[in-house]
Amino acid sequence: AVTVSTVAPTAAAFGALLGIGEEEAPPPPALAWSLHAADASLRRRLVPTAVDEPEALREGLCAALAALPPRRRRLVVEYVLLGGVNDGLAEADELAAFLRPVEAACFDPGRASRRTGVLVNLIPYNDGGGGAAARKGGGGGVGRRAGGSRR
C-alpha cells in the first residue's frame, strides 16, 4: 500500500491524488492530510505554504472521496499538537465539527467495524532538543477529546 501525505494541497489536488477520472486507474493510495488546525487563520500561521482555506480543501476532499467506491473512502488526518496553540478543548471541538462532513463522505454502511474511515493521528510536538523554543504538546484538550471518543 502507498500513503500520500500532503501539507499544502489545493482543493483540486485530492481528486488527482486519488486517481479520480482516470480510466483503469490503479487502486488509489491511502491519503494523509496534514491539517494541524481547523481554523483558517491559525492554519495559515502553522502552514504558511497553504494556498486554499481548510473549508475549500475539505469540500474538494469530500468530492474526491464521494467519487471512490465506499470501501476505498479512508483518510488519515495528521494533527501536530502544539502546547497552548492548537491543543485546547475548543480546538478539539472545532476539529471534530470540521471533520464531520469528511466522516460522512468516508462512511461505508457495509463496514463491519462501523467506524467512519477517518483516523486522526495526534502527533505530540518534538523540537528535537528541548531548548527554549520547545512547546509542550500532547496532553491538551485535543488529546483528551480523542481519548474519550471512538472517532
Side-chain angles (χ1 to χ4, degrees), residues 17-120:
L17 287 170
L18 294 173
I20 305 300
E22 294 179 19
E23 288 188 33
E24 298 185 32
L31 185 62
W33 178 21
S34 298
L35 181 60
H36 310 308
D39 176 74
S41 62
L42 178 56
R43 186 166 192 273
R44 223 179 349 271
R45 282 190 6 227
L46 298 176
V47 187
T49 57
V51 176
D52 290 334
E53 297 290 320
E55 294 81 5
L57 294 171
R58 180 186 60 201
E59 297 312 312
L61 176 61
C62 287
L65 289 167
L68 293 173
R71 298 233 184 256
R72 298 251 182 221
R73 296 178 190 166
R74 296 175 187 243
L75 174 70
V76 176
V77 176
E78 306 287 356
Y79 195 96
V80 173
L81 295 167
L82 300 169
V85 176
N86 69 345
D87 71 338
L89 293 176
E91 289 84 6
D93 290 339
E94 186 174 33
L95 178 63
F98 180 83
L99 291 176
R100 281 193 186 98
V102 180
E103 289 178 323
C106 287
F107 183 71
D108 174 8
R111 192 174 286 137
S113 68
R114 309 301 296 159
R115 293 188 177 146
T116 64
V118 177
L119 171 72
V120 177

Side-chain angles (χ1 to χ4, degrees), residues 81-83 85 125-137:
L81 295 167
L82 300 169
V85 176
Y125 176 76
N126 179 355
D127 78 343
R135 291 181 173 144
K136 188 175 86 182

